[in-house]
Amino acid sequence: MTKAEQPESIYETIRDRAALINRLHQQEQGTSICIHDIAIELHCTDELILESLEFAA
């Protein structure tokens, strides 16, 4: 599926969940989490995470 085929709500959901995962990681580890680690946690690709972040911008 290309970016144009993804519903906006998927981007919003992924962005929100990625932000939550990053916030929890920062509280526990004191550093930001890598995009790849977020993708693994959400069972999706790095590219989908990046597209979700670009969608928010």
Side-chain angles (χ1 to χ4, degrees), residues 21-31:
I21 291 169
N22 187 50
R23 202 168 24 256
L24 292 172
H25 185 80
Q26 285 178 331
Q27 289 172 351
E28 294 172 3
Q29 305 292 325
T31 60

Side-chain angles (χ1 to χ4, degrees), residues 22 25 32-39:
N22 187 50
H25 185 80
S32 293
I33 194 169
C34 297
I35 295 290
H36 182 71
D37 294 337
I38 293 171

Side-chain angles (χ1 to χ4, degrees), residues 11-55:
Y11 288 125
E12 292 169 356
T13 300
I14 290 173
R15 184 193 67 234
D16 293 345
R17 292 188 65 199
L20 176 62
I21 291 169
N22 187 50
R23 202 168 24 256
L24 292 172
H25 185 80
Q26 285 178 331
Q27 289 172 351
E28 294 172 3
Q29 305 292 325
T31 60
S32 293
I33 194 169
C34 297
I35 295 290
H36 182 71
D37 294 337
I38 293 171
I40 290 171
E41 184 76 23
L42 296 179
H43 304 285
C44 63
T45 64
D46 296 1
E47 291 81 15
L48 187 54
I49 299 293
L50 291 171
E51 288 176 6
S52 297
L53 296 173
E54 289 174 4
F55 173 78

